[in-house]
Amino acid sequence: QLQLVESRGGLVQPGGSLRLSCTASGFTLNNNYAVGWFRQAPGKEREGVLCISSTQSLNYVDSVKGRFTISRDNAKNTVYLQMNNLKPEDTAVYYCAARWNPGTPICGMRRNDYGYWGQGTQVTVSL
């Protein structure tokens, strides 16, 4: 069974940091895959936050530039989302997603760009 599993999120104070991981099982999540992180706040549409292409190019939504970054550890079959200087408006359920897309320099930021999804993990930024 092909799965992506996100690590547990949690409660973080404004200005704090949190790293989420996304680990694949049943397939090798290597550089042939584009990987995206999405989030969905209550009452809002799921939005793309940032992604990494199979050629390691990054794409960000403006609201997280300079604060969030994404990285791979192919040996661990894992992709990470590092979130710094968190704000209350970052509160959401976060999802990772992957797509087999070798040699493609641009990664997508739309839900339909990805075929594999994790189950989501709650991140709450509050005092």
Side-chain angles (χ1 to χ4, degrees):
Q1 187 176 2
L2 307 181
Q3 283 187 317
L4 293 173
V5 179
E6 295 100 341
S7 58
R8 177 178 289 186
L11 174 64
V12 183
Q13 292 187 350
S17 297
L18 186 66
R19 188 177 77 164
L20 300 178
S21 64
C22 172
T23 301
S25 63
F27 69 104
T28 301
L29 186 62
N30 58 22
N31 291 350
N32 286 317
Y33 284 85
V35 178
W37 283 93
F38 290 73
R39 66 187 179 188
Q40 188 165 14
K44 294 188 176 181
E45 295 286 324
R46 190 174 301 186
E47 66 166 349
V49 176
L50 76 166
C51 61
I52 184 167
S53 75
S54 57
T55 62
Q56 313 315 306
S57 296
L58 305 181
N59 195 7
Y60 296 84
V61 67
D62 286 345
S63 61
V64 306
K65 284 183 179 178
R67 301 189 299 122
F68 290 13
T69 192
I70 188 172
S71 62
R72 298 181 187 264
D73 187 336
N74 291 339
K76 295 183 178 180
N77 224 23
T78 297
V79 174
Y80 298 99
L81 174 65
Q82 177 67 45
M83 303 183 288
N84 298 324
N85 191 21
L86 282 159
K87 303 177 180 180
E89 51 264 41
D90 295 318
T91 295
V93 177
Y94 282 73
Y95 300 87
C96 65
R99 174 182 178 175
W100 171 260
N101 208 10
T104 303
I106 298 174
C107 53
M109 296 279 275
R110 301 171 303 174
R111 291 184 68 168
N112 289 344
D113 291 325
Y114 296 89
Y116 300 112
W117 286 86
Q119 80 286 355
T121 188
Q122 177 70 46
V123 173
T124 302
V125 184
S126 180
L127 292 171

